[in-house]
Amino acid sequence: MNLTILGCYAATPRTFTNPTSQVLEIRNRLFLIDCGEGTQVQLRKNKIRFSKINHIFISHLHGDHFFGLVGLVSTFALLNRTTDLHIYGPKGIKEIINLQLRLSNSWTSYGLFFHELESKVSEIIFEDEKVIVKTIPLKHRVYTNGFLFQEKIRERKLDLNAVQNYEIDKCYYQNIKNGKDITLEDGRVIENAKLTFDPVPPLSYAFCSDTAYDESIIPIINEVDVLYHEATFLDSEEALAGKTMHSTAKEAATIALKANVKQLVLGHYSTRYENIELFKEQAVTIFPNVLLADDGRSFEF
């Protein structure tokens, strides 16, 4: 599982920082999460192929999280894209993007599908044979969701020495990988555990931005491998965090601790601060495993 941060700063773009956008690669699937201004430039800088992006997840309709979307949609058309594009976001996103496309006479040459979200409880919004994606309802000034990406359990691994010892025909190998017991010609039943090894444990990633401190998300993100949680402010601006419905670094760390996650990644920093290391310094006083997102930074989990 690889996470590439395209932008992770709050509110306004600067010459050296970008608003929220990131790419998650999990089980050979590439998901774009949020699409602030400058996203397509950052995609190019990080050498991420546009053609691999088929699913885009937008957390909410504040500009620093989706103002780059129509530009990316239009660029896809200019590049003669033919593959369908699916966009998941709050109700209203279809109207906004289609209005921009209509008034600029920039209709796409590919299938553009919107999956508008309204539910205030967690729901499955994407699923295939390898990955499942659920919403994480967040507490912000407008309707907002985070997203939980979960690998499905992989096939069991064949113990070749064992299957060859029992002289099991190769035509049964897939059934064994699927977890089935095998009945030999002499009637003996060989338990699957004697023929396979456990698969690699499935990984999970939770994206939570923007949100006030909200413990109601803990059951949804409990024990995830990696939690990205906004940390817009330091303790000195705790009152401002409450007023604007954002979180502090310590509040993000408290959520990570109570949810028993393995790794916390902080982001969505207010641009009022000159040194983002301060966010980590405050967070580790509560939760030890803290990484700092920064534009262009990649993490392999």
Side-chain angles (χ1 to χ4, degrees), residues 107-152:
W107 297 111
T108 65
S109 54
Y110 55 88
L112 182 60
F113 298 94
F114 293 92
H115 306 265
E116 295 194 308
L117 308 175
E118 296 182 81
S119 176
K120 294 184 179 180
V121 298
S122 181
E123 61 179 342
I124 296 172
I125 56 174
F126 172 84
E127 183 174 10
D128 65 10
E129 70 277 11
K130 292 184 178 180
V131 179
I132 185 169
V133 183
K134 302 175 183 176
T135 56
I136 306 170
L138 299 176
K139 189 177 180 181
H140 194 42
R141 302 192 304 277
V142 297
Y143 176 77
T144 305
N145 284 300
F147 303 103
L148 174 62
F149 300 82
Q150 297 172 301
E151 289 184 339
K152 290 188 175 180

Side-chain angles (χ1 to χ4, degrees), residues 213 215 218-219 222-223 252-261 286-287:
Y213 179 81
E215 294 186 1
I218 290 174
N222 189 51
E223 296 188 346
T254 301
I255 291 293
L257 180 69
K258 292 188 175 184
N260 196 31
V261 309
I286 294 173
F287 183 80

Side-chain angles (χ1 to χ4, degrees), residues 9 37 40 52 56-57 61 63-64 74 79 89 97 101 113 120 159 173 185 188 194 197 245 252 283:
Y9 289 80
E37 290 179 73
Q40 57 180 310
K52 294 188 69 177
I56 301 176
F57 297 84
L61 297 182
D64 57 329
S74 297
L79 295 175
I97 300 301
L101 294 176
F113 298 94
K120 294 184 179 180
D159 182 344
Y173 281 8
E185 290 183 2
R188 285 182 296 160
K194 294 180 179 180
F197 301 110
M245 300 187 76

Side-chain angles (χ1 to χ4, degrees), residues 26-278:
I26 181 170
R27 294 293 297 276
N28 296 318
R29 307 293 193 265
L30 207 67
F31 299 117
L32 179 63
I33 309 171
D34 275 350
C35 192
E37 290 179 73
T39 291
Q40 57 180 310
V41 174
Q42 286 295 93
L43 287 168
R44 292 189 185 279
K45 283 184 177 180
N46 288 275
K47 298 181 179 179
I48 296 170
R49 291 174 58 190
F50 285 21
S51 61
K52 294 188 69 177
I53 298 173
N54 299 320
H55 300 273
I56 301 176
F57 297 84
I58 302 297
S59 61
H60 63 297
L61 297 182
H62 279 162
D64 57 329
H65 293 261
F66 90 104
F67 275 177
L69 182 58
V70 71
L72 185 60
V73 167
S74 297
T75 295
F76 282 156
L78 292 173
L79 295 175
N80 299 314
R81 180 189 178 103
T82 57
T83 306
D84 292 345
L85 179 66
H86 295 265
I87 297 174
Y88 307 78
K91 185 176 181 180
I93 193 167
K94 179 178 180 179
E95 179 182 359
I96 292 171
I97 300 301
N98 279 342
L99 177 63
Q100 291 174 303
L101 294 176
R102 178 172 62 83
L103 293 179
S104 62
N105 195 26
S106 301
W107 297 111
T108 65
S109 54
Y110 55 88
L112 182 60
F113 298 94
F114 293 92
H115 306 265
E116 295 194 308
L117 308 175
E118 296 182 81
S119 176
K120 294 184 179 180
V121 298
S122 181
E123 61 179 342
I124 296 172
I125 56 174
F126 172 84
E127 183 174 10
D128 65 10
E129 70 277 11
K130 292 184 178 180
V131 179
I132 185 169
V133 183
K134 302 175 183 176
T135 56
I136 306 170
L138 299 176
K139 189 177 180 181
H140 194 42
R141 302 192 304 277
V142 297
Y143 176 77
T144 305
N145 284 300
F147 303 103
L148 174 62
F149 300 82
Q150 297 172 301
E151 289 184 339
K152 290 188 175 180
I153 297 176
R154 300 170 186 250
E155 293 179 337
R156 297 186 64 79
K157 294 183 178 180
L158 279 180
D159 182 344
L160 286 175
N161 289 331
V163 295
Q164 290 171 2
N165 182 55
Y166 286 109
E167 298 181 347
I168 298 172
D169 192 279
K170 290 183 179 179
C171 68
Y172 296 107
Y173 281 8
Q174 189 59 54
N175 283 340
I176 296 172
K177 290 180 184 179
N178 292 340
K180 295 182 179 180
D181 298 336
I182 293 296
T183 302
L184 302 181
E185 290 183 2
D186 61 10
R188 285 182 296 160
V189 176
I190 309 302
E191 295 177 358
N192 187 269
K194 294 180 179 180
L195 304 172
T196 60
F197 301 110
D198 289 338
V200 175
L203 296 175
S204 55
Y205 174 71
F207 169 86
C208 294
S209 182
D210 300 5
T211 183
Y213 179 81
D214 183 12
E215 294 186 1
S216 70
I217 69 173
I218 290 174
I220 303 172
I221 66 172
N222 189 51
E223 296 188 346
V224 297
D225 292 283
V226 184
L227 167 65
Y228 176 95
H229 196 290
E230 75 126 284
T232 306
F233 297 108
L234 298 175
D235 262 8
S236 53
E237 280 72 46
E238 184 177 3
L240 185 56
K243 181 180 179 180
T244 59
M245 300 187 76
H246 283 291
S247 298
T248 66
K250 283 187 176 180
E251 287 174 334
T254 301
I255 291 293
L257 180 69
K258 292 188 175 184
N260 196 31
V261 309
K262 294 182 177 66
Q263 185 74 62
L264 172 64
V265 180
L266 297 179
H268 201 264
Y269 319 110
S270 168
T271 54
R272 73 185 59 227
Y273 306 109
E274 294 184 1
N275 184 4
I276 63 173
E277 290 293 331
L278 297 172

